[in-house]
Amino acid sequence: MTFRLAALAFLALAIFPPESTAQVVVRSALAQSEEASPGTTYEGTIELFNQGDTSRTAEVSLRDYTFSYDGTTSYEDPGSHKRSNAPWIDYGGSRVDVPPGEEVEVTYQVDVPSSVNGEAPAGTYWSMVLVEPLNQPSVSADGGIAVQQVRRYGIQVATQIRDTGTPELGLLSTDLQREDDQTVLSLAVENTGTRMDQPKAQIELYGDSGNLAFEQQTSPKRIYPGTSVRYRIDLSGVAPGNYQALLVLQADVASPIGRQFTVEL
């Protein structure tokens, strides 16, 4: 069964609720990115599956999506920021019926414009597709009160304009934070360029004799133009002492960023 959706897309972010309460789940990749040229069209899919034994409905909508290293996340009206691709997205219906035990494929088509504000599009444009299961089953709580749990799937939708744009990564801060029994190195990284990148951070700690005492690499994080993220590296397992730290931010596209500093644990 196929539900048509015309969209310019790149999907990410989801919350997987317990099987007993949230019957409609997203099975497809939650981060889809596509390179395209101005004036072209491409397609992709979102796969919805109903784990329950009765028919369910999911509501599909669009929002602009931005985020910051300080934990701030914004979901704005489509087309609110200058790198939104939401105006390019056309989907044929806001609700999808998913029969019990079946998968429904939501197909989207992406129409890349030849110009944006009078100029050829360049770099990365993105938004978010929200999938919200409706008519979910209620769960009995204490006292016999029925509680209905509603979880939304957020699917980031990004388009990379082929052979254009450059990420510009910057290290905003490096902070050593002590939280209960944990010692965490916190890094804030921004992208002031025009193209998305997915850097990962690597830290090496060297002792007084120059020996490598600790090494760790984070998972990559997606940073869109004008957004920022925070990396957290747990140093709790490192013996107390003074260390020379070598921090390297390794990206897919942008040049690596290196920093040296002293860490006292």
Side-chain angles (χ1 to χ4, degrees), residues 172-196:
L172 294 173
S173 65
T174 59
D175 300 309
L176 195 62
Q177 302 174 350
R178 289 177 171 83
E179 306 169 353
D180 298 327
D181 295 331
Q182 278 192 318
T183 301
V184 175
L185 181 64
S186 176
L187 318 171
V189 180
E190 66 175 347
N191 181 0
T192 60
T194 57
R195 192 174 183 88
M196 180 194 75

Short mmCIF file of all heavy atoms in Angstrom, two decimals, residues 172-196:
data_model
loop_
_atom_site.label_atom_id
_atom_site.label_comp_id
_atom_site.label_asym_id
_atom_site.label_seq_id
_atom_site.Cartn_x
_atom_site.Cartn_y
_atom_site.Cartn_z
N LEU A 172 33.11 26.72 19.96
CA LEU A 172 32.63 27.82 20.79
C LEU A 172 33.20 27.78 22.20
O LEU A 172 33.50 28.82 22.80
CB LEU A 172 31.11 27.80 20.85
CG LEU A 172 30.37 28.08 19.54
CD1 LEU A 172 28.88 27.85 19.74
CD2 LEU A 172 30.63 29.49 19.08
N SER A 173 33.30 26.58 22.78
CA SER A 173 33.78 26.47 24.15
C SER A 173 34.22 25.05 24.45
O SER A 173 33.78 24.09 23.82
CB SER A 173 32.68 26.88 25.14
OG SER A 173 31.59 25.97 25.07
N THR A 174 35.12 24.93 25.42
CA THR A 174 35.52 23.65 26.00
C THR A 174 35.47 23.81 27.51
O THR A 174 36.18 24.64 28.07
CB THR A 174 36.94 23.23 25.57
OG1 THR A 174 37.87 24.25 25.97
CG2 THR A 174 37.02 23.04 24.06
N ASP A 175 34.62 23.04 28.16
CA ASP A 175 34.41 23.18 29.60
C ASP A 175 34.56 21.82 30.28
O ASP A 175 34.05 20.81 29.78
CB ASP A 175 33.02 23.73 29.90
CG ASP A 175 32.81 25.10 29.28
OD1 ASP A 175 33.66 25.97 29.49
OD2 ASP A 175 31.79 25.28 28.58
N LEU A 176 35.25 21.82 31.41
CA LEU A 176 35.35 20.62 32.23
C LEU A 176 34.29 20.71 33.32
O LEU A 176 34.31 21.62 34.15
CB LEU A 176 36.75 20.50 32.84
CG LEU A 176 37.13 19.13 33.42
CD1 LEU A 176 37.12 18.07 32.33
CD2 LEU A 176 38.48 19.21 34.10
N GLN A 177 33.34 19.80 33.30
CA GLN A 177 32.21 19.84 34.21
C GLN A 177 32.23 18.64 35.14
O GLN A 177 32.49 17.51 34.71
CB GLN A 177 30.89 19.87 33.43
CG GLN A 177 30.78 21.05 32.47
CD GLN A 177 29.54 20.98 31.60
OE1 GLN A 177 28.85 19.95 31.57
NE2 GLN A 177 29.25 22.06 30.90
N ARG A 178 31.98 18.88 36.42
CA ARG A 178 31.90 17.80 37.40
C ARG A 178 30.46 17.65 37.85
O ARG A 178 29.88 18.58 38.40
CB ARG A 178 32.83 18.08 38.57
CG ARG A 178 34.31 17.95 38.18
CD ARG A 178 35.25 18.30 39.31
NE ARG A 178 36.63 17.95 38.97
CZ ARG A 178 37.43 18.73 38.24
NH1 ARG A 178 37.00 19.89 37.80
NH2 ARG A 178 38.67 18.34 37.96
N GLU A 179 29.88 16.49 37.58
CA GLU A 179 28.48 16.21 37.87
C GLU A 179 28.39 14.93 38.69
O GLU A 179 28.63 13.85 38.16
CB GLU A 179 27.69 16.07 36.57
CG GLU A 179 27.85 17.25 35.62
CD GLU A 179 27.27 16.97 34.24
OE1 GLU A 179 26.86 15.81 34.00
OE2 GLU A 179 27.26 17.89 33.42
N ASP A 180 28.09 15.09 39.98
CA ASP A 180 28.04 13.93 40.89
C ASP A 180 29.37 13.20 40.84
O ASP A 180 30.40 13.76 41.19
CB ASP A 180 26.87 13.02 40.53
CG ASP A 180 25.53 13.72 40.67
OD1 ASP A 180 25.41 14.58 41.57
OD2 ASP A 180 24.61 13.42 39.89
N ASP A 181 29.38 11.96 40.38
CA ASP A 181 30.61 11.18 40.31
C ASP A 181 31.25 11.22 38.93
O ASP A 181 32.20 10.48 38.67
CB ASP A 181 30.33 9.71 40.70
CG ASP A 181 29.89 9.58 42.15
OD1 ASP A 181 30.30 10.42 42.97
OD2 ASP A 181 29.12 8.64 42.44
N GLN A 182 30.75 12.06 38.06
CA GLN A 182 31.26 12.13 36.69
C GLN A 182 32.06 13.39 36.45
O GLN A 182 31.75 14.46 36.97
CB GLN A 182 30.10 12.09 35.68
CG GLN A 182 29.58 10.71 35.37
CD GLN A 182 28.65 10.75 34.17
OE1 GLN A 182 27.82 11.63 34.03
NE2 GLN A 182 28.78 9.77 33.30
N THR A 183 33.11 13.24 35.64
CA THR A 183 33.86 14.38 35.12
C THR A 183 33.70 14.36 33.61
O THR A 183 34.06 13.38 32.95
CB THR A 183 35.35 14.31 35.50
OG1 THR A 183 35.46 14.28 36.93
CG2 THR A 183 36.09 15.52 34.96
N VAL A 184 33.14 15.41 33.07
CA VAL A 184 32.76 15.43 31.65
C VAL A 184 33.42 16.61 30.96
O VAL A 184 33.38 17.75 31.46
CB VAL A 184 31.23 15.53 31.49
CG1 VAL A 184 30.84 15.66 30.02
CG2 VAL A 184 30.56 14.30 32.09
N LEU A 185 34.04 16.35 29.82
CA LEU A 185 34.54 17.41 28.96
C LEU A 185 33.43 17.78 27.98
O LEU A 185 32.97 16.95 27.21
CB LEU A 185 35.78 16.96 28.19
CG LEU A 185 36.41 18.00 27.26
CD1 LEU A 185 36.93 19.20 28.05
CD2 LEU A 185 37.53 17.39 26.42
N SER A 186 32.98 19.03 28.05
CA SER A 186 31.86 19.50 27.24
C SER A 186 32.37 20.42 26.14
O SER A 186 33.10 21.38 26.42
CB SER A 186 30.85 20.22 28.13
OG SER A 186 29.80 20.77 27.36
N LEU A 187 31.98 20.15 24.91
CA LEU A 187 32.42 20.92 23.75
C LEU A 187 31.21 21.47 23.01
O LEU A 187 30.27 20.74 22.72
CB LEU A 187 33.23 20.05 22.77
CG LEU A 187 34.25 19.08 23.36
CD1 LEU A 187 34.77 18.16 22.28
CD2 LEU A 187 35.39 19.85 24.01
N ALA A 188 31.23 22.76 22.72
CA ALA A 188 30.16 23.37 21.92
C ALA A 188 30.73 23.73 20.55
O ALA A 188 31.77 24.40 20.45
CB ALA A 188 29.62 24.61 22.60
N VAL A 189 30.04 23.29 19.49
CA VAL A 189 30.52 23.47 18.12
C VAL A 189 29.41 24.07 17.27
O VAL A 189 28.26 23.63 17.35
CB VAL A 189 30.98 22.13 17.51
CG1 VAL A 189 31.48 22.33 16.08
CG2 VAL A 189 32.07 21.49 18.37
N GLU A 190 29.73 25.07 16.46
CA GLU A 190 28.75 25.71 15.59
C GLU A 190 29.16 25.57 14.13
O GLU A 190 30.32 25.30 13.81
CB GLU A 190 28.61 27.19 15.93
CG GLU A 190 29.85 28.01 15.63
CD GLU A 190 29.66 29.50 15.86
OE1 GLU A 190 28.49 29.92 16.02
OE2 GLU A 190 30.67 30.23 15.88
N ASN A 191 28.18 25.77 13.25
CA ASN A 191 28.41 25.79 11.81
C ASN A 191 27.89 27.11 11.27
O ASN A 191 26.68 27.35 11.22
CB ASN A 191 27.69 24.62 11.14
CG ASN A 191 27.93 24.56 9.63
OD1 ASN A 191 28.63 25.40 9.07
ND2 ASN A 191 27.34 23.57 8.97
N THR A 192 28.80 27.99 10.88
CA THR A 192 28.42 29.30 10.34
C THR A 192 28.47 29.32 8.82
O THR A 192 28.35 30.38 8.21
CB THR A 192 29.32 30.41 10.91
OG1 THR A 192 30.70 30.12 10.56
CG2 THR A 192 29.19 30.50 12.41
N GLY A 193 28.66 28.16 8.20
CA GLY A 193 28.75 28.08 6.75
C GLY A 193 27.40 27.92 6.09
O GLY A 193 26.35 28.27 6.66
N THR A 194 27.41 27.37 4.89
CA THR A 194 26.19 27.21 4.10
C THR A 194 25.85 25.75 3.80
O THR A 194 24.85 25.48 3.15
CB THR A 194 26.31 27.97 2.77
OG1 THR A 194 27.47 27.48 2.06
CG2 THR A 194 26.45 29.46 3.00
N ARG A 195 26.68 24.82 4.29
CA ARG A 195 26.43 23.41 4.02
C ARG A 195 26.53 22.60 5.31
O ARG A 195 27.36 22.89 6.17
CB ARG A 195 27.43 22.87 2.99
CG ARG A 195 27.07 21.48 2.44
CD ARG A 195 28.02 21.08 1.33
NE ARG A 195 27.65 19.81 0.73
CZ ARG A 195 26.80 19.67 -0.29
NH1 ARG A 195 26.24 20.75 -0.82
NH2 ARG A 195 26.53 18.49 -0.79
N MET A 196 25.69 21.60 5.42
CA MET A 196 25.69 20.73 6.58
C MET A 196 26.98 19.92 6.65
O MET A 196 27.57 19.58 5.63
CB MET A 196 24.51 19.77 6.49
CG MET A 196 24.39 18.80 7.64
SD MET A 196 23.23 17.45 7.29
CE MET A 196 24.20 16.45 6.15
#
